[in-house]
Amino acid sequence: MNWLTNVVRPKIRNMLRRETPENLWIKCPDSGQLVFYKDVEANQFVIPGSNYHMRMGAVARLKSIFDNETWFDVALPDVTPDPLKFRDEKKYADRIKDARARTNLNDAIKVGYGKLEGAGVVIAVQDFDFMGGSLGMAAGEAIVRGLELAVEKKSPFIVFAASGGARMQEGILSLMQMPRTTVAVQMLREAKQPYIVVLTNPTTGGVTASYAMLGDVQIAEPGALIGFAGARVIEQTIREKLPEGFQRAEYLKEHGMVDMVVHRHELRPTLARLCRLLTKAPALDGASKSVQPVTTSAQIVSAPETAPAAPHA
């Protein structure tokens, strides 16, 4: 005990007590370095010292890619929230409600339509904070709707994948999203529009076994974990020790599973160049060659030409 707790009256102690946000500081998982949260946020959630790429939310990701941080929110079809009435330690319906309250998202994938260096693109972002970015009926519908919109708009489709795999609470209905999204990707391919995949940390399970590995160009962020089964399961199955860096972005690039590993600060100009190349569009005068850290808030509007805004919890 100290003089503050022994002598000072409780009301005065409460006045002296300062409220400190829980995320004021971030500890780098790679180096252990403590970094001020605002500095990491301004640096697109890349740790300044170690260049470690933290997970990035869906809204922050869309802000970092679209011109002027502005896009149209694409309305997504409604799905049955709890088709199997699943319950483990907690009701599945309650888990969804908690995830929506925590992330302000309707489900694990957010889809936007806007401009990337002057050219129209559709972008889908998987948010790992929403139940591990798991692929359920709503997420499958989001990918399919995004691909359909890209066909309608005759524009490239970019997906940022981040997932632990299929959502177990929806059983076979979740697994059916794998062939559905695969068919939708083929539909975009037949329309001769580019499909670009950005693999972020982590991308595993049924997402890797479907739309996340079907891109015309496969990009990965540095250090991203990418695979189907976990390394421990593979080692137990084949009874061999896996090589160093197995299932990491750099290892997969060396072995031909990924086309390029791109730092987050260079991701926007890289995607813009790929879209121009694959659509044979001319480069814009003064097109940005690098992306600056994003600090301002995004302007989000609903797209009247697509559908009414999706309902939010």
Side-chain angles (χ1 to χ4, degrees), residues 26-31 33-36 39-40 43-54 263-265:
I26 291 179
K27 185 176 181 180
C28 174
D30 186 35
S31 64
Q33 171 191 9
L34 282 175
V35 188
F36 192 45
D39 292 341
V40 179
N43 203 40
Q44 291 189 305
F45 294 94
V46 178
I47 303 294
S50 64
N51 262 334
Y52 182 87
H53 286 52
M54 304 287 290
H263 193 283
R264 191 171 289 166
H265 292 170

mmCIF file with all atom_site columns, all heavy atoms in Angstrom, residues 26-31 33-36 39-40 43-54 263-265:
data_model
loop_
_atom_site.group_PDB
_atom_site.id
_atom_site.type_symbol
_atom_site.label_atom_id
_atom_site.label_alt_id
_atom_site.label_comp_id
_atom_site.label_asym_id
_atom_site.label_entity_id
_atom_site.label_seq_id
_atom_site.pdbx_PDB_ins_code
_atom_site.Cartn_x
_atom_site.Cartn_y
_atom_site.Cartn_z
_atom_site.occupancy
_atom_site.B_iso_or_equiv
_atom_site.pdbx_formal_charge
_atom_site.auth_seq_id
_atom_site.auth_comp_id
_atom_site.auth_asym_id
_atom_site.auth_atom_id
_atom_site.pdbx_PDB_model_num
ATOM 1   N N   . ILE A 1 26  ? 1.308  -1.458  -28.575 1.00 0.00 ? 26  ILE A N   1
ATOM 2   C CA  . ILE A 1 26  ? 1.261  -2.759  -29.248 1.00 0.00 ? 26  ILE A CA  1
ATOM 3   C C   . ILE A 1 26  ? 2.628  -3.414  -29.112 1.00 0.00 ? 26  ILE A C   1
ATOM 4   O O   . ILE A 1 26  ? 3.657  -2.765  -29.327 1.00 0.00 ? 26  ILE A O   1
ATOM 5   C CB  . ILE A 1 26  ? 0.897  -2.608  -30.740 1.00 0.00 ? 26  ILE A CB  1
ATOM 6   C CG1 . ILE A 1 26  ? -0.552 -2.164  -30.893 1.00 0.00 ? 26  ILE A CG1 1
ATOM 7   C CG2 . ILE A 1 26  ? 1.112  -3.916  -31.489 1.00 0.00 ? 26  ILE A CG2 1
ATOM 8   C CD1 . ILE A 1 26  ? -0.978 -1.962  -32.324 1.00 0.00 ? 26  ILE A CD1 1
ATOM 9   N N   . LYS A 1 27  ? 2.628  -4.680  -28.752 1.00 0.00 ? 27  LYS A N   1
ATOM 10  C CA  . LYS A 1 27  ? 3.881  -5.435  -28.666 1.00 0.00 ? 27  LYS A CA  1
ATOM 11  C C   . LYS A 1 27  ? 4.082  -6.212  -29.959 1.00 0.00 ? 27  LYS A C   1
ATOM 12  O O   . LYS A 1 27  ? 3.223  -6.995  -30.357 1.00 0.00 ? 27  LYS A O   1
ATOM 13  C CB  . LYS A 1 27  ? 3.857  -6.388  -27.477 1.00 0.00 ? 27  LYS A CB  1
ATOM 14  C CG  . LYS A 1 27  ? 5.179  -7.119  -27.258 1.00 0.00 ? 27  LYS A CG  1
ATOM 15  C CD  . LYS A 1 27  ? 5.125  -7.977  -26.007 1.00 0.00 ? 27  LYS A CD  1
ATOM 16  C CE  . LYS A 1 27  ? 6.450  -8.679  -25.776 1.00 0.00 ? 27  LYS A CE  1
ATOM 17  N NZ  . LYS A 1 27  ? 6.405  -9.515  -24.550 1.00 0.00 ? 27  LYS A NZ  1
ATOM 18  N N   . CYS A 1 28  ? 5.205  -5.994  -30.611 1.00 0.00 ? 28  CYS A N   1
ATOM 19  C CA  . CYS A 1 28  ? 5.489  -6.676  -31.866 1.00 0.00 ? 28  CYS A CA  1
ATOM 20  C C   . CYS A 1 28  ? 5.682  -8.167  -31.608 1.00 0.00 ? 28  CYS A C   1
ATOM 21  O O   . CYS A 1 28  ? 6.537  -8.554  -30.794 1.00 0.00 ? 28  CYS A O   1
ATOM 22  C CB  . CYS A 1 28  ? 6.746  -6.090  -32.520 1.00 0.00 ? 28  CYS A CB  1
ATOM 23  S SG  . CYS A 1 28  ? 7.280  -6.982  -33.998 1.00 0.00 ? 28  CYS A SG  1
ATOM 24  N N   . PRO A 1 29  ? 4.914  -9.045  -32.252 1.00 0.00 ? 29  PRO A N   1
ATOM 25  C CA  . PRO A 1 29  ? 5.068  -10.488 -32.052 1.00 0.00 ? 29  PRO A CA  1
ATOM 26  C C   . PRO A 1 29  ? 6.434  -11.021 -32.492 1.00 0.00 ? 29  PRO A C   1
ATOM 27  O O   . PRO A 1 29  ? 6.867  -12.068 -32.040 1.00 0.00 ? 29  PRO A O   1
ATOM 28  C CB  . PRO A 1 29  ? 3.949  -11.078 -32.929 1.00 0.00 ? 29  PRO A CB  1
ATOM 29  C CG  . PRO A 1 29  ? 2.988  -9.977  -33.147 1.00 0.00 ? 29  PRO A CG  1
ATOM 30  C CD  . PRO A 1 29  ? 3.802  -8.721  -33.164 1.00 0.00 ? 29  PRO A CD  1
ATOM 31  N N   . ASP A 1 30  ? 7.092  -10.293 -33.373 1.00 0.00 ? 30  ASP A N   1
ATOM 32  C CA  . ASP A 1 30  ? 8.367  -10.753 -33.920 1.00 0.00 ? 30  ASP A CA  1
ATOM 33  C C   . ASP A 1 30  ? 9.546  -10.334 -33.045 1.00 0.00 ? 30  ASP A C   1
ATOM 34  O O   . ASP A 1 30  ? 10.376 -11.159 -32.659 1.00 0.00 ? 30  ASP A O   1
ATOM 35  C CB  . ASP A 1 30  ? 8.545  -10.210 -35.343 1.00 0.00 ? 30  ASP A CB  1
ATOM 36  C CG  . ASP A 1 30  ? 9.780  -10.762 -36.030 1.00 0.00 ? 30  ASP A CG  1
ATOM 37  O OD1 . ASP A 1 30  ? 10.108 -11.941 -35.791 1.00 0.00 ? 30  ASP A OD1 1
ATOM 38  O OD2 . ASP A 1 30  ? 10.420 -10.022 -36.801 1.00 0.00 ? 30  ASP A OD2 1
ATOM 39  N N   . SER A 1 31  ? 9.620  -9.054  -32.705 1.00 0.00 ? 31  SER A N   1
ATOM 40  C CA  . SER A 1 31  ? 10.779 -8.538  -31.978 1.00 0.00 ? 31  SER A CA  1
ATOM 41  C C   . SER A 1 31  ? 10.513 -8.258  -30.509 1.00 0.00 ? 31  SER A C   1
ATOM 42  O O   . SER A 1 31  ? 11.451 -8.040  -29.742 1.00 0.00 ? 31  SER A O   1
ATOM 43  C CB  . SER A 1 31  ? 11.267 -7.241  -32.653 1.00 0.00 ? 31  SER A CB  1
ATOM 44  O OG  . SER A 1 31  ? 10.262 -6.229  -32.561 1.00 0.00 ? 31  SER A OG  1
ATOM 45  N N   . GLN A 1 33  ? 9.140  -5.607  -29.472 1.00 0.00 ? 33  GLN A N   1
ATOM 46  C CA  . GLN A 1 33  ? 9.213  -4.150  -29.337 1.00 0.00 ? 33  GLN A CA  1
ATOM 47  C C   . GLN A 1 33  ? 7.836  -3.577  -29.005 1.00 0.00 ? 33  GLN A C   1
ATOM 48  O O   . GLN A 1 33  ? 6.819  -3.981  -29.564 1.00 0.00 ? 33  GLN A O   1
ATOM 49  C CB  . GLN A 1 33  ? 9.737  -3.564  -30.653 1.00 0.00 ? 33  GLN A CB  1
ATOM 50  C CG  . GLN A 1 33  ? 9.670  -2.051  -30.752 1.00 0.00 ? 33  GLN A CG  1
ATOM 51  C CD  . GLN A 1 33  ? 9.949  -1.562  -32.169 1.00 0.00 ? 33  GLN A CD  1
ATOM 52  O OE1 . GLN A 1 33  ? 10.033 -2.364  -33.094 1.00 0.00 ? 33  GLN A OE1 1
ATOM 53  N NE2 . GLN A 1 33  ? 10.090 -0.265  -32.334 1.00 0.00 ? 33  GLN A NE2 1
ATOM 54  N N   . LEU A 1 34  ? 7.781  -2.636  -28.072 1.00 0.00 ? 34  LEU A N   1
ATOM 55  C CA  . LEU A 1 34  ? 6.540  -1.940  -27.746 1.00 0.00 ? 34  LEU A CA  1
ATOM 56  C C   . LEU A 1 34  ? 6.435  -0.689  -28.605 1.00 0.00 ? 34  LEU A C   1
ATOM 57  O O   . LEU A 1 34  ? 7.355  0.132   -28.634 1.00 0.00 ? 34  LEU A O   1
ATOM 58  C CB  . LEU A 1 34  ? 6.502  -1.564  -26.268 1.00 0.00 ? 34  LEU A CB  1
ATOM 59  C CG  . LEU A 1 34  ? 6.153  -2.684  -25.282 1.00 0.00 ? 34  LEU A CG  1
ATOM 60  C CD1 . LEU A 1 34  ? 6.266  -2.191  -23.855 1.00 0.00 ? 34  LEU A CD1 1
ATOM 61  C CD2 . LEU A 1 34  ? 4.759  -3.218  -25.540 1.00 0.00 ? 34  LEU A CD2 1
ATOM 62  N N   . VAL A 1 35  ? 5.322  -0.548  -29.295 1.00 0.00 ? 35  VAL A N   1
ATOM 63  C CA  . VAL A 1 35  ? 5.142  0.562   -30.223 1.00 0.00 ? 35  VAL A CA  1
ATOM 64  C C   . VAL A 1 35  ? 3.817  1.249   -29.908 1.00 0.00 ? 35  VAL A C   1
ATOM 65  O O   . VAL A 1 35  ? 2.812  0.599   -29.599 1.00 0.00 ? 35  VAL A O   1
ATOM 66  C CB  . VAL A 1 35  ? 5.141  0.075   -31.695 1.00 0.00 ? 35  VAL A CB  1
ATOM 67  C CG1 . VAL A 1 35  ? 5.148  1.248   -32.657 1.00 0.00 ? 35  VAL A CG1 1
ATOM 68  C CG2 . VAL A 1 35  ? 6.333  -0.826  -31.967 1.00 0.00 ? 35  VAL A CG2 1
ATOM 69  N N   . PHE A 1 36  ? 3.813  2.568   -30.005 1.00 0.00 ? 36  PHE A N   1
ATOM 70  C CA  . PHE A 1 36  ? 2.609  3.353   -29.790 1.00 0.00 ? 36  PHE A CA  1
ATOM 71  C C   . PHE A 1 36  ? 1.576  3.010   -30.859 1.00 0.00 ? 36  PHE A C   1
ATOM 72  O O   . PHE A 1 36  ? 1.884  3.005   -32.054 1.00 0.00 ? 36  PHE A O   1
ATOM 73  C CB  . PHE A 1 36  ? 2.965  4.841   -29.836 1.00 0.00 ? 36  PHE A CB  1
ATOM 74  C CG  . PHE A 1 36  ? 1.879  5.756   -29.350 1.00 0.00 ? 36  PHE A CG  1
ATOM 75  C CD1 . PHE A 1 36  ? 1.174  5.492   -28.185 1.00 0.00 ? 36  PHE A CD1 1
ATOM 76  C CD2 . PHE A 1 36  ? 1.550  6.904   -30.064 1.00 0.00 ? 36  PHE A CD2 1
ATOM 77  C CE1 . PHE A 1 36  ? 0.178  6.344   -27.742 1.00 0.00 ? 36  PHE A CE1 1
ATOM 78  C CE2 . PHE A 1 36  ? 0.555  7.762   -29.634 1.00 0.00 ? 36  PHE A CE2 1
ATOM 79  C CZ  . PHE A 1 36  ? -0.135 7.479   -28.465 1.00 0.00 ? 36  PHE A CZ  1
ATOM 80  N N   . ASP A 1 39  ? 1.101  5.222   -33.917 1.00 0.00 ? 39  ASP A N   1
ATOM 81  C CA  . ASP A 1 39  ? 2.187  5.136   -34.896 1.00 0.00 ? 39  ASP A CA  1
ATOM 82  C C   . ASP A 1 39  ? 2.004  3.937   -35.813 1.00 0.00 ? 39  ASP A C   1
ATOM 83  O O   . ASP A 1 39  ? 2.243  4.009   -37.023 1.00 0.00 ? 39  ASP A O   1
ATOM 84  C CB  . ASP A 1 39  ? 3.548  5.039   -34.189 1.00 0.00 ? 39  ASP A CB  1
ATOM 85  C CG  . ASP A 1 39  ? 3.909  6.329   -33.463 1.00 0.00 ? 39  ASP A CG  1
ATOM 86  O OD1 . ASP A 1 39  ? 3.325  7.374   -33.798 1.00 0.00 ? 39  ASP A OD1 1
ATOM 87  O OD2 . ASP A 1 39  ? 4.758  6.276   -32.558 1.00 0.00 ? 39  ASP A OD2 1
ATOM 88  N N   . VAL A 1 40  ? 1.563  2.808   -35.231 1.00 0.00 ? 40  VAL A N   1
ATOM 89  C CA  . VAL A 1 40  ? 1.332  1.603   -36.037 1.00 0.00 ? 40  VAL A CA  1
ATOM 90  C C   . VAL A 1 40  ? 0.156  1.814   -36.978 1.00 0.00 ? 40  VAL A C   1
ATOM 91  O O   . VAL A 1 40  ? 0.200  1.442   -38.152 1.00 0.00 ? 40  VAL A O   1
ATOM 92  C CB  . VAL A 1 40  ? 1.079  0.381   -35.122 1.00 0.00 ? 40  VAL A CB  1
ATOM 93  C CG1 . VAL A 1 40  ? 0.805  -0.863  -35.950 1.00 0.00 ? 40  VAL A CG1 1
ATOM 94  C CG2 . VAL A 1 40  ? 2.268  0.152   -34.208 1.00 0.00 ? 40  VAL A CG2 1
ATOM 95  N N   . ASN A 1 43  ? 1.048  3.833   -39.874 1.00 0.00 ? 43  ASN A N   1
ATOM 96  C CA  . ASN A 1 43  ? 1.963  3.109   -40.757 1.00 0.00 ? 43  ASN A CA  1
ATOM 97  C C   . ASN A 1 43  ? 1.289  1.894   -41.394 1.00 0.00 ? 43  ASN A C   1
ATOM 98  O O   . ASN A 1 43  ? 1.948  0.926   -41.763 1.00 0.00 ? 43  ASN A O   1
ATOM 99  C CB  . ASN A 1 43  ? 3.206  2.666   -39.978 1.00 0.00 ? 43  ASN A CB  1
ATOM 100 C CG  . ASN A 1 43  ? 4.400  2.425   -40.866 1.00 0.00 ? 43  ASN A CG  1
ATOM 101 O OD1 . ASN A 1 43  ? 4.659  3.165   -41.811 1.00 0.00 ? 43  ASN A OD1 1
ATOM 102 N ND2 . ASN A 1 43  ? 5.144  1.360   -40.590 1.00 0.00 ? 43  ASN A ND2 1
ATOM 103 N N   . GLN A 1 44  ? -0.048 1.938   -41.504 1.00 0.00 ? 44  GLN A N   1
ATOM 104 C CA  . GLN A 1 44  ? -0.837 0.849   -42.094 1.00 0.00 ? 44  GLN A CA  1
ATOM 105 C C   . GLN A 1 44  ? -0.640 -0.474  -41.352 1.00 0.00 ? 44  GLN A C   1
ATOM 106 O O   . GLN A 1 44  ? -0.583 -1.539  -41.941 1.00 0.00 ? 44  GLN A O   1
ATOM 107 C CB  . GLN A 1 44  ? -0.506 0.679   -43.579 1.00 0.00 ? 44  GLN A CB  1
ATOM 108 C CG  . GLN A 1 44  ? -1.001 1.838   -44.433 1.00 0.00 ? 44  GLN A CG  1
ATOM 109 C CD  . GLN A 1 44  ? -0.854 1.548   -45.900 1.00 0.00 ? 44  GLN A CD  1
ATOM 110 O OE1 . GLN A 1 44  ? 0.240  1.239   -46.379 1.00 0.00 ? 44  GLN A OE1 1
ATOM 111 N NE2 . GLN A 1 44  ? -1.938 1.644   -46.626 1.00 0.00 ? 44  GLN A NE2 1
ATOM 112 N N   . PHE A 1 45  ? -0.540 -0.380  -40.045 1.00 0.00 ? 45  PHE A N   1
ATOM 113 C CA  . PHE A 1 45  ? -0.426 -1.536  -39.164 1.00 0.00 ? 45  PHE A CA  1
ATOM 114 C C   . PHE A 1 45  ? 0.805  -2.394  -39.485 1.00 0.00 ? 45  PHE A C   1
ATOM 115 O O   . PHE A 1 45  ? 0.769  -3.619  -39.388 1.00 0.00 ? 45  PHE A O   1
ATOM 116 C CB  . PHE A 1 45  ? -1.714 -2.370  -39.206 1.00 0.00 ? 45  PHE A CB  1
ATOM 117 C CG  . PHE A 1 45  ? -2.893 -1.636  -38.627 1.00 0.00 ? 45  PHE A CG  1
ATOM 118 C CD1 . PHE A 1 45  ? -3.751 -0.921  -39.454 1.00 0.00 ? 45  PHE A CD1 1
ATOM 119 C CD2 . PHE A 1 45  ? -3.132 -1.619  -37.260 1.00 0.00 ? 45  PHE A CD2 1
ATOM 120 C CE1 . PHE A 1 45  ? -4.829 -0.207  -38.928 1.00 0.00 ? 45  PHE A CE1 1
ATOM 121 C CE2 . PHE A 1 45  ? -4.200 -0.915  -36.731 1.00 0.00 ? 45  PHE A CE2 1
ATOM 122 C CZ  . PHE A 1 45  ? -5.054 -0.210  -37.556 1.00 0.00 ? 45  PHE A CZ  1
ATOM 123 N N   . VAL A 1 46  ? 1.873  -1.719  -39.877 1.00 0.00 ? 46  VAL A N   1
ATOM 124 C CA  . VAL A 1 46  ? 3.182  -2.357  -40.027 1.00 0.00 ? 46  VAL A CA  1
ATOM 125 C C   . VAL A 1 46  ? 4.070  -1.810  -38.917 1.00 0.00 ? 46  VAL A C   1
ATOM 126 O O   . VAL A 1 46  ? 4.213  -0.596  -38.781 1.00 0.00 ? 46  VAL A O   1
ATOM 127 C CB  . VAL A 1 46  ? 3.808  -2.065  -41.406 1.00 0.00 ? 46  VAL A CB  1
ATOM 128 C CG1 . VAL A 1 46  ? 5.195  -2.699  -41.510 1.00 0.00 ? 46  VAL A CG1 1
ATOM 129 C CG2 . VAL A 1 46  ? 2.904  -2.585  -42.520 1.00 0.00 ? 46  VAL A CG2 1
ATOM 130 N N   . ILE A 1 47  ? 4.680  -2.694  -38.103 1.00 0.00 ? 47  ILE A N   1
ATOM 131 C CA  . ILE A 1 47  ? 5.551  -2.249  -37.018 1.00 0.00 ? 47  ILE A CA  1
ATOM 132 C C   . ILE A 1 47  ? 6.748  -1.518  -37.624 1.00 0.00 ? 47  ILE A C   1
ATOM 133 O O   . ILE A 1 47  ? 7.483  -2.096  -38.434 1.00 0.00 ? 47  ILE A O   1
ATOM 134 C CB  . ILE A 1 47  ? 6.026  -3.441  -36.169 1.00 0.00 ? 47  ILE A CB  1
ATOM 135 C CG1 . ILE A 1 47  ? 4.829  -4.215  -35.604 1.00 0.00 ? 47  ILE A CG1 1
ATOM 136 C CG2 . ILE A 1 47  ? 6.930  -2.953  -35.040 1.00 0.00 ? 47  ILE A CG2 1
ATOM 137 C CD1 . ILE A 1 47  ? 3.992  -3.487  -34.606 1.00 0.00 ? 47  ILE A CD1 1
ATOM 138 N N   . PRO A 1 48  ? 6.976  -0.246  -37.275 1.00 0.00 ? 48  PRO A N   1
ATOM 139 C CA  . PRO A 1 48  ? 8.035  0.533   -37.927 1.00 0.00 ? 48  PRO A CA  1
ATOM 140 C C   . PRO A 1 48  ? 9.421  -0.082  -37.849 1.00 0.00 ? 48  PRO A C   1
ATOM 141 O O   . PRO A 1 48  ? 10.170 -0.092  -38.816 1.00 0.00 ? 48  PRO A O   1
ATOM 142 C CB  . PRO A 1 48  ? 7.973  1.873   -37.174 1.00 0.00 ? 48  PRO A CB  1
ATOM 143 C CG  . PRO A 1 48  ? 6.591  1.964   -36.649 1.00 0.00 ? 48  PRO A CG  1
ATOM 144 C CD  . PRO A 1 48  ? 6.195  0.562   -36.326 1.00 0.00 ? 48  PRO A CD  1
ATOM 145 N N   . GLY A 1 49  ? 9.808  -0.638  -36.700 1.00 0.00 ? 49  GLY A N   1
ATOM 146 C CA  . GLY A 1 49  ? 11.163 -1.152  -36.557 1.00 0.00 ? 49  GLY A CA  1
ATOM 147 C C   . GLY A 1 49  ? 11.411 -2.471  -37.251 1.00 0.00 ? 49  GLY A C   1
ATOM 148 O O   . GLY A 1 49  ? 12.383 -2.643  -37.986 1.00 0.00 ? 49  GLY A O   1
ATOM 149 N N   . SER A 1 50  ? 10.504 -3.427  -37.045 1.00 0.00 ? 50  SER A N   1
ATOM 150 C CA  . SER A 1 50  ? 10.720 -4.796  -37.544 1.00 0.00 ? 50  SER A CA  1
ATOM 151 C C   . SER A 1 50  ? 10.050 -5.074  -38.882 1.00 0.00 ? 50  SER A C   1
ATOM 152 O O   . SER A 1 50  ? 10.276 -6.122  -39.480 1.00 0.00 ? 50  SER A O   1
ATOM 153 C CB  . SER A 1 50  ? 10.188 -5.798  -36.520 1.00 0.00 ? 50  SER A CB  1
ATOM 154 O OG  . SER A 1 50  ? 8.777  -5.652  -36.366 1.00 0.00 ? 50  SER A OG  1
ATOM 155 N N   . ASN A 1 51  ? 9.184  -4.158  -39.360 1.00 0.00 ? 51  ASN A N   1
ATOM 156 C CA  . ASN A 1 51  ? 8.407  -4.367  -40.592 1.00 0.00 ? 51  ASN A CA  1
ATOM 157 C C   . ASN A 1 51  ? 7.434  -5.534  -40.483 1.00 0.00 ? 51  ASN A C   1
ATOM 158 O O   . ASN A 1 51  ? 6.997  -6.084  -41.493 1.00 0.00 ? 51  ASN A O   1
ATOM 159 C CB  . ASN A 1 51  ? 9.314  -4.569  -41.809 1.00 0.00 ? 51  ASN A CB  1
ATOM 160 C CG  . ASN A 1 51  ? 9.473  -3.289  -42.600 1.00 0.00 ? 51  ASN A CG  1
ATOM 161 O OD1 . ASN A 1 51  ? 8.606  -2.414  -42.573 1.00 0.00 ? 51  ASN A OD1 1
ATOM 162 N ND2 . ASN A 1 51  ? 10.583 -3.155  -43.298 1.00 0.00 ? 51  ASN A ND2 1
ATOM 163 N N   . TYR A 1 52  ? 7.099  -5.927  -39.260 1.00 0.00 ? 52  TYR A N   1
ATOM 164 C CA  . TYR A 1 52  ? 6.131  -7.007  -39.057 1.00 0.00 ? 52  TYR A CA  1
ATOM 165 C C   . TYR A 1 52  ? 4.741  -6.512  -39.449 1.00 0.00 ? 52  TYR A C   1
ATOM 166 O O   . TYR A 1 52  ? 4.306  -5.448  -39.026 1.00 0.00 ? 52  TYR A O   1
ATOM 167 C CB  . TYR A 1 52  ? 6.130  -7.469  -37.598 1.00 0.00 ? 52  TYR A CB  1
ATOM 168 C CG  . TYR A 1 52  ? 5.195  -8.619  -37.323 1.00 0.00 ? 52  TYR A CG  1
ATOM 169 C CD1 . TYR A 1 52  ? 5.608  -9.938  -37.491 1.00 0.00 ? 52  TYR A CD1 1
ATOM 170 C CD2 . TYR A 1 52  ? 3.879  -8.392  -36.903 1.00 0.00 ? 52  TYR A CD2 1
ATOM 171 C CE1 . TYR A 1 52  ? 4.754  -10.997 -37.240 1.00 0.00 ? 52  TYR A CE1 1
ATOM 172 C CE2 . TYR A 1 52  ? 3.013  -9.447  -36.650 1.00 0.00 ? 52  TYR A CE2 1
ATOM 173 C CZ  . TYR A 1 52  ? 3.458  -10.750 -36.824 1.00 0.00 ? 52  TYR A CZ  1
ATOM 174 O OH  . TYR A 1 52  ? 2.603  -11.797 -36.593 1.00 0.00 ? 52  TYR A OH  1
ATOM 175 N N   . HIS A 1 53  ? 4.032  -7.292  -40.273 1.00 0.00 ? 53  HIS A N   1
ATOM 176 C CA  . HIS A 1 53  ? 2.700  -6.911  -40.747 1.00 0.00 ? 53  HIS A CA  1
ATOM 177 C C   . HIS A 1 53  ? 1.629  -7.432  -39.787 1.00 0.00 ? 53  HIS A C   1
ATOM 178 O O   . HIS A 1 53  ? 1.381  -8.636  -39.711 1.00 0.00 ? 53  HIS A O   1
ATOM 179 C CB  . HIS A 1 53  ? 2.460  -7.477  -42.149 1.00 0.00 ? 53  HIS A CB  1
ATOM 180 C CG  . HIS A 1 53  ? 3.206  -6.748  -43.232 1.00 0.00 ? 53  HIS A CG  1
ATOM 181 N ND1 . HIS A 1 53  ? 4.556  -6.507  -43.171 1.00 0.00 ? 53  HIS A ND1 1
ATOM 182 C CD2 . HIS A 1 53  ? 2.779  -6.197  -44.409 1.00 0.00 ? 53  HIS A CD2 1
ATOM 183 C CE1 . HIS A 1 53  ? 4.932  -5.852  -44.258 1.00 0.00 ? 53  HIS A CE1 1
ATOM 184 N NE2 . HIS A 1 53  ? 3.871  -5.648  -45.014 1.00 0.00 ? 53  HIS A NE2 1
ATOM 185 N N   . MET A 1 54  ? 1.027  -6.497  -39.045 1.00 0.00 ? 54  MET A N   1
ATOM 186 C CA  . MET A 1 54  ? -0.076 -6.859  -38.165 1.00 0.00 ? 54  MET A CA  1
ATOM 187 C C   . MET A 1 54  ? -1.332 -7.116  -38.999 1.00 0.00 ? 54  MET A C   1
ATOM 188 O O   . MET A 1 54  ? -1.403 -6.732  -40.171 1.00 0.00 ? 54  MET A O   1
ATOM 189 C CB  . MET A 1 54  ? -0.353 -5.729  -37.173 1.00 0.00 ? 54  MET A CB  1
ATOM 190 C CG  . MET A 1 54  ? 0.844  -5.305  -36.336 1.00 0.00 ? 54  MET A CG  1
ATOM 191 S SD  . MET A 1 54  ? 1.290  -6.493  -35.063 1.00 0.00 ? 54  MET A SD  1
ATOM 192 C CE  . MET A 1 54  ? -0.091 -6.324  -33.940 1.00 0.00 ? 54  MET A CE  1
ATOM 193 N N   . HIS A 1 263 ? 5.325  -5.830  -49.942 1.00 0.00 ? 263 HIS A N   1
ATOM 194 C CA  . HIS A 1 263 ? 5.177  -5.057  -48.700 1.00 0.00 ? 263 HIS A CA  1
ATOM 195 C C   . HIS A 1 263 ? 3.883  -4.256  -48.760 1.00 0.00 ? 263 HIS A C   1
ATOM 196 O O   . HIS A 1 263 ? 3.476  -3.785  -49.823 1.00 0.00 ? 263 HIS A O   1
ATOM 197 C CB  . HIS A 1 263 ? 6.380  -4.120  -48.540 1.00 0.00 ? 263 HIS A CB  1
ATOM 198 C CG  . HIS A 1 263 ? 6.485  -3.505  -47.174 1.00 0.00 ? 263 HIS A CG  1
ATOM 199 N ND1 . HIS A 1 263 ? 5.681  -2.461  -46.767 1.00 0.00 ? 263 HIS A ND1 1
ATOM 200 C CD2 . HIS A 1 263 ? 7.304  -3.795  -46.128 1.00 0.00 ? 263 HIS A CD2 1
ATOM 201 C CE1 . HIS A 1 263 ? 6.004  -2.127  -45.526 1.00 0.00 ? 263 HIS A CE1 1
ATOM 202 N NE2 . HIS A 1 263 ? 6.989  -2.921  -45.118 1.00 0.00 ? 263 HIS A NE2 1
ATOM 203 N N   . ARG A 1 264 ? 3.245  -4.093  -47.617 1.00 0.00 ? 264 ARG A N   1
ATOM 204 C CA  . ARG A 1 264 ? 1.947  -3.422  -47.575 1.00 0.00 ? 264 ARG A CA  1
ATOM 205 C C   . ARG A 1 264 ? 1.994  -1.993  -48.113 1.00 0.00 ? 264 ARG A C   1
ATOM 206 O O   . ARG A 1 264 ? 1.041  -1.516  -48.723 1.00 0.00 ? 264 ARG A O   1
ATOM 207 C CB  . ARG A 1 264 ? 1.407  -3.422  -46.137 1.00 0.00 ? 264 ARG A CB  1
ATOM 208 C CG  . ARG A 1 264 ? -0.041 -2.995  -46.011 1.00 0.00 ? 264 ARG A CG  1
ATOM 209 C CD  . ARG A 1 264 ? -0.542 -3.227  -44.608 1.00 0.00 ? 264 ARG A CD  1
ATOM 210 N NE  . ARG A 1 264 ? -0.694 -4.644  -44.318 1.00 0.00 ? 264 ARG A NE  1
ATOM 211 C CZ  . ARG A 1 264 ? -0.851 -5.139  -43.085 1.00 0.00 ? 264 ARG A CZ  1
ATOM 212 N NH1 . ARG A 1 264 ? -0.872 -4.322  -42.047 1.00 0.00 ? 264 ARG A NH1 1
ATOM 213 N NH2 . ARG A 1 264 ? -0.992 -6.438  -42.912 1.00 0.00 ? 264 ARG A NH2 1
ATOM 214 N N   . HIS A 1 265 ? 3.115  -1.312  -47.932 1.00 0.00 ? 265 HIS A N   1
ATOM 215 C CA  . HIS A 1 265 ? 3.218  0.057   -48.432 1.00 0.00 ? 265 HIS A CA  1
ATOM 216 C C   . HIS A 1 265 ? 3.268  0.112   -49.959 1.00 0.00 ? 265 HIS A C   1
ATOM 217 O O   . HIS A 1 265 ? 2.985  1.149   -50.549 1.00 0.00 ? 265 HIS A O   1
ATOM 218 C CB  . HIS A 1 265 ? 4.472  0.734   -47.856 1.00 0.00 ? 265 HIS A CB  1
ATOM 219 C CG  . HIS A 1 265 ? 4.385  0.983   -46.383 1.00 0.00 ? 265 HIS A CG  1
ATOM 220 N ND1 . HIS A 1 265 ? 5.454  1.390   -45.625 1.00 0.00 ? 265 HIS A ND1 1
ATOM 221 C CD2 . HIS A 1 265 ? 3.335  0.878   -45.524 1.00 0.00 ? 265 HIS A CD2 1
ATOM 222 C CE1 . HIS A 1 265 ? 5.074  1.522   -44.370 1.00 0.00 ? 265 HIS A CE1 1
ATOM 223 N NE2 . HIS A 1 265 ? 3.793  1.213   -44.287 1.00 0.00 ? 265 HIS A NE2 1
#
